[in-house]
Structures are given as structure tokens and as C-alpha cells.
Amino acid sequence: LGRSGCGKTTLLRLTGGLEKADSGEIRYGGSHRTAFVFQEPRLMPWLTVRQNVLLGPQAQGKKGLEAKADALIDRIGLQAFSEAWPRQLSGGMAQRAALARALLNEPRLLLLDEPLGKLDSLTRISMQRELIALWQQQGYTSLLVTHDIEEALLLCERVLVMSPRPGRIIAEFALPLAFPRHRDNPQLLQHRQDILRILGQEADW
């Protein structure tokens, strides 16, 4: 979490190897299989949903993942749109297709850059539940960048707050709460108030 321009997306891109650091290093254990889900679905308009989901592995010469892709498409509720074109999808459907594409290779680290930022509120709530369910099912580590304090508190086990430039971690909140979480949980409401105060927005509480 942090204000616009503080370096959240830059940190995400450095972690995923899309940019190189001028100094220092980023370490994480296990396999380096990473996948990105961006704010825009970035589906190829000339490919169907199923072809988009399979695009990455096929570009790497991998075969035999069709059944797995179909299972993922079913899991995210797009089985009736498997052969649809991106222009025929709503924003939430397109973002679900992008999520299935990212998860097809079973990443150990899933990087999420405001993936729900442009969705309507009801679709966003549904997608938040889906992200938790997929994470629990597949067991990957996820790093989420978001401006939405409530979203971070609902989805994450740790919330890190960044300062404006130079971007630094200025607060950390551990959230050892079971999922699913409820928006009116007193502990989450207190954390929300604390984060707003840290970001200089306590008057908005």
C-alpha cells in the first residue's frame, strides 16, 4: 500500500525481473516461476479465451496443457465463454481469463498489480473471493499492489505500507486471521484507521 508514485509497481517489476535494480538484491526461496496479472487484462484480441489462456505455454513450446487450461477456465466460471473473443467479455470476465492464463504454469510467485482496480464493486467483491480460493487451492505466494486499504486487509497475511519517494517500508501489519474475512471485523477496522493515519488521511475515517 502507498500513495501513487511511491514505487509499489517498480518494486513488483523488480521482483518479477521486468526491471533491474541499480543496487541491492531481492531474495525469495523456492522456484523462480513467476506470473503477472496487471490492471489491464492484456488479452490478445485475435485469440479466444481458451487460446489466450494457453498462449504462454504454447509460446514456450509446451504441449498437453489443454485439459488443465479447460479445468482452470471452468474453475473461474468462464466455461460458457471458452471460445468467446475478448471483445465479447465484460471487464470482470476478461480479468478472470487473465488470471487463468497466469496460473496455468503453476507459478510459485504470483505478482498482482492493481488487478481489480477497474472492476465494478460487485465484480470486485466476487474476484476478491476467487483470488483467496485459488491461493488456498494452489498454495503459491502472492505479492499484491493495491491502493485499496480494505482490499489489502481482506486478502493479505501481511500488509506493508510504503512512504512517498524515496519509497520505503514505513509500517507493517500482520494479519493472522482466518479466511474468508468480513469487512466489519473490529481488528480490520482498527488497522484501516491506523493505515489512514500513517498515510495522512485520518480525517477521512
Side-chain angles (χ1 to χ4, degrees), residues 107-187:
R108 301 312 304 153
L109 178 62
L110 181 65
L111 303 171
L112 303 164
D113 191 4
E114 292 277 355
L116 312 182
K118 293 190 175 181
L119 303 183
D120 65 84
S121 59
L122 293 179
T123 302
R124 188 166 187 156
I125 290 171
S126 176
M127 284 294 294
Q128 288 170 347
R129 289 197 303 267
E130 196 62 46
L131 283 173
I132 288 295
L134 287 165
W135 165 70
Q136 290 178 319
Q137 179 188 56
Q138 298 202 15
Y140 48 76
T141 295
S142 188
L143 179 59
L144 168 70
V145 163
T146 179
H147 288 92
D148 189 324
I149 296 172
E150 183 180 82
E151 183 168 88
L153 294 172
L154 286 172
L155 298 185
C156 299
E157 294 183 310
R158 294 169 63 210
V159 175
L160 305 175
V161 184
M162 291 184 67
S163 69
R165 297 181 180 180
R168 299 181 185 278
I169 303 299
I170 55 174
E172 176 179 348
F173 295 84
L175 300 171
L177 301 175
F179 295 98
R181 296 170 180 171
H182 298 283
R183 287 166 168 77
D184 59 353
N185 181 295
Q187 186 173 345

